[in-house]
Amino acid sequence: MTQRGHTLDDAWYLGYAAGSLASEAETVLVQSHVELNSDAQDRVEQLDRIGGVLLDRMPVGEALPFSADELLEMADRSDPLQAGESVSDEAANVPDALDGVNLPPALAQYLARSPARLKWEFLGPGLRKSILWRGKDGERLWLLKAQPGVAIPHHGHAGSELTLVLKGSFWDGDQEYRRGDVEEAHEDVEHDIRIGTGGECVCLALTQGKLRFESPLLTAFQVFTGL
Amino acid sequence: MTDLTDRPAPTVDSQRLSDLLVQVGQARDRAAFRTLFDHFAPRIRAFLIQRRVIPAMADDLTQDVMLAIWRRASSFDPSRAAASTWIYTIARNQHIDQYRKAQRASRMDETDPSLQPAPAPAADDLCEQAEAADSVGVALEDLSADQRQVVELAFTEGLTHSEIADRLELPLGTVKSRIRLALGKLKTTLGEMV
Ligand SMILES: [Zn+2]
Ligand SMILES: [Zn+2]
């Protein structure tokens, strides 16, 4: 059963299945969620079937500049070891900073491709952040690490924010978000987040604008922490 | 839209394609691969061209996808997916991969007229071109023209949801709700068919 609010808007699954998301960061977040969440997997599988039918219906135009036999000769010549996927090697290489987090393959591969070393920075009491990527329109793909029971004060968003739980859990009101769940917070949404008491919580987030805190003190906190 | 019974019979039906892919996976059957190649390679290339991939790169990518099919066929499970679905996901993933590499190297000049894609066939034309009136095709045709259009623009032209909104001159919220309605309907129809 799909619980309201724990999966993404359908537009994201369509974008992922069609290979038409706007950035690599979006693909990494959505794919990581799909890898961890069976409702999301079902959604994408249905859409992949649509993709298959549309591929099958493509009008066939020009002849190809190579034949099946040329391709098979090429396959015979290439080293079978090189031909294998390098994916598993990449996935095995989890950064020390994420020790103890069971990473979805899409995120593990993304981190293996990114040359920058992952390190945690102070975000607030019991909160650490690590920025993975900044887009040209102010988007950020980042990791949040929070100690059990920590509260993230009441805030709004200048843009949308997708938060995928990788480890532990958090509460927003009476909704609990666990590993594989994603919260999609829009511009007009204000909320308080409380980290679950069961243990450390690690999330992957994609944020479009800055967070907006209500109190002037927290606004100062925001300037300080760069969120 | 034409009646489904007016359609030409499929040249290679989906059961046959699935069997061929299993033969490639289990027995490295070259003849089976040739038949799959004849069916899918030109379609993969045409799909990529429609997605604004330049022809030379579309040739290379098609080659990569067909090689991946040859190498990974043993992981195809006919009880889980149709051959076209499995092959589509390989093509999609390779395309994302390539796009990522290309984005890192340099950005393609989108204004170059030689890179502009041919206009996408209208939703109704796609129905005419259907060669197999299989269940997913029927589910797709069950959508309203508005709903089908948003789904097809994402797949066939690779437009993001905000690009779809720009193209159709609609608010983003309207596009998103059309996507939700379309996918809700597909879920119901496809769910009934499983
Ligand atoms: Zn308030
Ligand atoms: Zn928030």
Side-chain angles (χ1 to χ4, degrees):
Chain A
M1 258 314 277
T2 304
Q3 283 172 284
R4 191 182 63 81
H6 293 197
T7 52
L8 289 165
D9 187 279
D10 282 331
W12 291 103
Y13 300 121
L14 175 64
Y16 173 70
S20 68
L21 291 173
S23 65
E24 183 180 13
E26 289 188 358
T27 303
V28 169
L29 190 135
V30 177
Q31 193 178 342
S32 297
H33 160 60
V34 170
E35 285 167 352
L36 298 179
N37 185 303
S38 61
D39 289 333
Q41 258 157 43
D42 290 348
R43 218 80 182 107
V44 168
E45 264 172 34
Q46 283 174 342
L47 286 163
D48 285 346
R49 290 165 70 187
I50 304 293
V53 166
L54 292 174
L55 173 66
D56 217 43
R57 288 178 175 189
M58 280 314 295
V60 177
E62 287 171 65
L64 289 158
F66 55 91
S67 69
D69 287 312
E70 283 167 342
L71 207 64
L72 287 169
E73 277 168 36
M74 205 185 293
D76 291 341
R77 276 197 308 273
S78 67
D79 181 356
L81 286 175
Q82 280 182 343
E85 300 301 281
S86 56
V87 165
S88 49
D89 304 335
E90 283 181 350
N93 219 346
V94 174
D96 292 344
L98 285 169
D99 231 15
V101 185
N102 185 3
L103 295 179
L107 179 58
Q109 286 156 30
Y110 175 76
L111 293 174
R113 282 196 301 275
S114 328
R117 230 187 106 218
L118 195 153
K119 61 176 199 296
W120 295 109
E121 295 168 83
F122 178 78
L123 174 63
L127 298 170
R128 297 279 180 278
K129 69 163 194 250
S130 178
I131 306 275
L132 303 177
W133 171 83
R134 283 178 198 276
K136 60 181 186 340
D137 298 318
E139 319 94 295
R140 272 108 57 228
L141 183 71
W142 56 288
L143 288 160
L144 167 74
K145 183 157 82 166
Q147 293 312 305
V150 164
I152 300 176
H154 198 111
H155 63 278
H157 302 96
S160 70
E161 182 170 66
L162 308 181
T163 309
L164 168 68
V165 182
L166 300 173
K167 185 187 180 188
S169 72
F170 69 80
W171 291 82
D172 183 1
D174 61 356
Q175 294 287 306
E176 188 184 21
Y177 293 83
R178 280 174 248 162
R179 178 171 162 84
D181 290 343
V182 60
E183 185 182 43
E184 186 169 359
H186 291 285
E187 211 163 340
D188 44 354
V189 172
E190 285 195 340
H191 58 180
D192 297 287
I193 300 288
R194 232 167 357 97
I195 303 302
T197 50
E200 173 188 83
C201 176
V202 178
C203 296
L204 177 68
L206 182 65
T207 305
Q208 259 160 4
K210 286 195 180 301
L211 301 183
R212 285 187 313 230
F213 290 101
E214 276 180 357
S215 89
L217 200 70
L218 288 170
T219 308
F221 164 78
Q222 174 179 7
V223 170
F224 177 58
T225 56
L227 257 189
Chain B
M1 254 178 70
T2 50
D3 191 83
L4 291 177
T5 50
D6 294 343
R7 300 276 168 71
T11 46
V12 188
D13 70 38
S14 52
Q15 184 57 51
R16 170 111 199 283
L17 292 170
S18 175
D19 293 344
L20 289 165
L21 195 48
V22 169
Q23 278 166 259
V24 171
Q26 290 179 352
R28 316 303 292 152
D29 184 329
R30 287 169 176 254
F33 180 77
R34 281 185 204 100
T35 311
L36 285 173
F37 180 95
D38 290 344
H39 183 79
F40 283 110
R43 286 173 170 79
I44 293 165
R45 187 181 187 280
F47 178 81
L48 292 166
I49 294 288
Q50 194 160 43
R51 295 286 293 253
R52 294 167 178 257
V53 175
I54 56 171
M57 195 186 257
D59 290 340
D60 287 354
L61 273 172
T62 303
Q63 198 166 303
D64 289 349
V65 174
M66 292 310 300
L67 273 172
I69 292 167
W70 172 250
R71 286 171 178 148
R72 296 187 216 161
S74 61
S75 69
F76 169 67
D77 176 355
S79 71
R80 288 198 50 138
S84 63
T85 305
W86 189 79
I87 288 170
Y88 168 74
T89 59
I90 290 180
R92 190 258 325 277
N93 294 344
Q94 295 264 8
H95 181 216
I96 288 176
D97 229 53
Q98 205 57 43
Y99 176 69
R100 203 161 59 204
K101 282 174 199 149
Q103 246 191 347
R104 287 198 176 169
S106 65
R107 290 193 71 83
M108 198 168 87
D109 182 4
E110 298 243 323
T111 57
D112 182 339
S114 70
L115 301 182
Q116 295 304 308
D124 282 357
D125 292 344
L126 279 172
C127 288
E128 305 275 355
Q129 287 154 6
E131 62 168 9
D134 61 38
S135 61
V136 183
V138 172
L140 202 52
E141 277 136 35
D142 233 27
L143 300 178
S144 73
D146 282 352
Q147 292 166 2
R148 199 165 51 228
Q149 189 180 36
V150 292
V151 172
E152 284 176 354
L153 282 172
F155 277 104
T156 59
E157 289 196 54
L159 301 186
T160 66
H161 36 262
S162 37
E163 287 165 347
I164 293 172
D166 287 348
R167 170 76 64 92
L168 302 178
E169 296 179 358
L170 290 169
L172 187 57
T174 307
V175 169
K176 284 190 177 181
S177 74
R178 273 187 197 174
I179 293 173
R180 268 194 296 274
L181 287 168
L183 269 53
K185 198 160 180 189
L186 287 170
K187 192 179 183 178
T188 313
T189 328
L190 291 174
E192 281 164 3
M193 284 165 179
V194 173

